Amino acid sequence: MEKPAQATSQTEPIQDSFTIPKRQGNQSASEIFKLKVDEIVQERLEAKEAARKLIADRQVSASISSEEAAIFDDLRIRQEEGEQLTNAYRLMNPELFRSRKDSANRRQSELKMKERAEARLEASRRYPELYAAMQEELREEERVRCIAFEAKRRAERIAYLNAVAWPKMAGRFVDSSLENFEEEGADIEREAQRSVLGELRQINLLESIQAGQNILFLGPPGAGKDHLMHALMRQVFLPLDGNVVLKNGAELRAKLKDASRGQSGDEDRIVNPMLKAQLLCISDPAHTAGASLSDFQTDCLYRVVEGRWRERQPTWMTINLPMEETRRYAREIFSAPVWDRLIDNAKIVICNWESFRECESVIQ
């Protein structure tokens, strides 16, 4: 006896390969795969509907006794009564009925999701090459999306650093640059200023920072040391993603003085951020009158300088020191261990010219 044609088709193996159909217009592999999934879902729905019709036809064609007919009539009556009770229940308890109806809808939605997931799995088995092409498209879309997201995040970060972080940190030096440093004074002083600016332009700042090289600006007050330091800071602020800590020497000394009289741990709250910064900049850490730092201040400064020196992290400073016997004065003010670590492999910028600051007018 010959096997039915349907049975023969069921024993055929699933396709080992699939030739991706030619795209119509801009149709992607993902869109084609979705159409295949829709076809499988439709096939399953049609198969279920055909099965229900077959069962219904068999029930209609089957002969039933008078007793069975009475049972069917009784079930129909009970069904009608149940519908009436359901309507009455809905009127009496609308909120609870709605929640149960929502649960039924949620269950129906879950069944549809399960049906579609099974169809996707079947489609991936039927059409492996199409599924692989779709996966590759999705990976490429995700890569492009991540690149766009990262570009947007970086643009927002740059805008924040430029518009908020840098102005807040730099204050009056926000626009400082080597180009707008004004040369003043006698010819010999202008020549010295041009020489310093030329040397600073030659420094590869990022390589210097990577090597942990300190930069110290030495000179009398008003020589433009802070302008020069902020000009260099401005160049590296964005490349370092704002990981720069700037400390004003007077405020730092005051906080350390308070910490020496405070609770245990106050010192760490001041020192630790200075140790962790990728670049630390300190403006005039020494007393303006040239007096030495206290023992506690010296110890804290040593912790910072020694810790950064050991980890090859750069420290930039502007220091008001007399040009005569600079080394002796520096050792007296900062202590020998601090000064020796500051100048180790450092670039020292000598700003040995008169102060630029002068009054607008004298009213008598």
Side-chain angles (χ1 to χ4, degrees):
M1 181 178 178
E2 294 183 357
K3 294 183 180 179
Q6 184 177 2
T8 303
S9 62
Q10 289 178 353
T11 58
E12 293 178 356
I14 297 175
Q15 291 175 296
D16 293 330
S17 62
F18 172 75
T19 302
I20 300 176
K22 294 182 179 180
R23 298 182 181 179
Q24 298 178 358
N26 295 326
Q27 201 173 29
S28 64
S30 300
E31 293 169 338
I32 298 174
F33 186 80
K34 182 177 180 299
L35 292 176
K36 294 298 180 183
V37 172
D38 292 339
E39 290 178 4
I40 293 174
V41 171
Q42 187 63 29
E43 289 175 5
R44 293 189 172 198
L45 292 177
E46 290 175 354
K48 289 181 179 180
E49 184 64 25
R52 281 195 294 267
K53 286 183 179 180
L54 180 61
I55 293 173
D57 292 343
R58 289 178 178 177
Q59 288 177 346
V60 170
S61 62
S63 59
I64 57 176
S65 64
S66 57
E67 293 180 357
E68 291 174 334
I71 293 173
F72 288 146
D73 289 339
D74 182 57
L75 290 173
R76 179 179 56 76
I77 294 171
R78 289 186 181 184
Q79 183 177 4
E80 293 175 354
E81 291 177 350
E83 291 177 354
Q84 293 175 0
L85 289 173
T86 299
N87 292 332
Y89 178 78
R90 180 180 60 190
L91 295 174
M92 293 173 60
N93 304 277
E95 294 298 329
L96 185 58
F97 183 83
R98 187 178 297 111
S99 65
R100 291 191 175 183
K101 186 177 180 180
D102 292 343
S103 298
N105 291 338
R106 192 181 303 111
R107 175 59 179 166
Q108 189 67 22
S109 176
E110 291 174 354
L111 291 175
K112 289 180 179 178
M113 291 174 61
K114 181 181 179 182
E115 182 77 23
R116 192 154 188 84
E118 292 175 351
R120 284 177 59 86
L121 181 61
E122 184 176 346
S124 67
R125 291 171 178 170
R126 286 191 190 181
Y127 318 112
E129 291 186 7
L130 177 60
Y131 181 73
M134 182 199 68
Q135 293 293 95
E136 184 61 30
E137 279 186 0
L138 293 178
R139 282 192 291 269
E140 179 63 18
E141 290 175 3
E142 180 66 14
R143 187 185 69 83
V144 172
R145 188 191 68 81
C146 290
I147 291 175
F149 175 79
E150 182 61 25
K152 180 182 177 183
R153 188 200 68 81
R154 183 57 186 165
E156 292 174 349
R157 177 65 176 170
I158 290 174
Y160 167 78
L161 292 175
N162 280 326
V164 180
W166 173 248
K168 182 179 179 181
M169 174 181 289
R172 68 177 294 140
F173 297 102
V174 63
D175 295 322
S176 296
S177 69
L178 298 180
E179 285 67 30
N180 61 21
F181 184 89
E182 297 180 2
E183 300 173 7
E184 295 188 14
D187 291 342
I188 189 172
E189 292 179 335
R190 289 173 178 267
E191 183 62 30
Q193 293 160 28
R194 283 192 291 269
S195 175
V196 166
L197 291 172
E199 290 296 327
L200 291 178
R201 290 190 181 98
Q202 298 301 316
I203 301 175
N204 188 320
L205 294 176
L206 293 180
E207 287 185 1
S208 174
I209 290 172
Q210 186 69 26
Q213 187 177 54
N214 296 340
I215 301 180
L216 308 179
F217 299 84
L218 308 183
K225 300 185 300 298
D226 281 293
H227 180 109
L228 295 175
M229 184 173 73
H230 281 79
L232 301 189
M233 287 170 56
R234 189 181 181 189
Q235 295 181 35
V236 300
F237 193 70
L238 288 182
L240 296 183
D241 197 35
N243 190 8
V244 179
V245 170
L246 173 63
K247 292 292 184 180
N248 176 273
E251 294 178 0
L252 178 60
R253 291 193 303 273
K255 289 181 179 179
L256 290 175
K257 185 177 180 181
D258 293 338
S260 65
R261 299 191 296 258
Q263 299 178 350
S264 175
D266 290 347
E267 173 190 346
D268 292 337
R269 283 191 287 271
I270 300 172
V271 171
N272 288 343
M274 300 169 69
L275 287 172
K276 295 177 182 178
Q278 192 168 357
L279 173 62
L280 173 64
C281 301
I282 305 179
S283 174
D284 297 329
H287 288 283
T288 55
S292 301
L293 298 176
S294 68
D295 291 343
F296 183 79
Q297 292 170 339
T298 301
D299 288 343
C300 291
L301 186 60
Y302 175 78
R303 277 187 59 189
V304 173
V305 172
E306 197 278 334
R308 297 185 64 81
W309 173 81
R310 186 176 62 249
E311 297 297 329
R312 293 184 178 274
Q313 294 175 313
T315 302
W316 296 357
M317 279 189 188
T318 62
I319 307 173
N320 293 323
L321 280 177
M323 289 299 98
E324 305 82 10
E325 300 185 71
T326 299
R327 186 180 183 88
R328 180 174 67 84
Y329 280 107
R331 286 171 172 267
E332 290 178 0
I333 294 172
F334 296 111
S335 79
V338 171
W339 182 248
D340 284 352
R341 283 165 175 77
L342 282 176
I343 64 174
D344 182 31
N345 196 36
K347 287 188 179 295
I348 299 180
V349 183
I350 302 298
C351 304
N352 192 19
W353 48 79
E354 295 296 326
S355 172
F356 294 155
R357 301 188 182 106
E358 57 183 19
C359 62
E360 179 186 0
S361 61
V362 177
I363 300 176
Q364 295 181 343

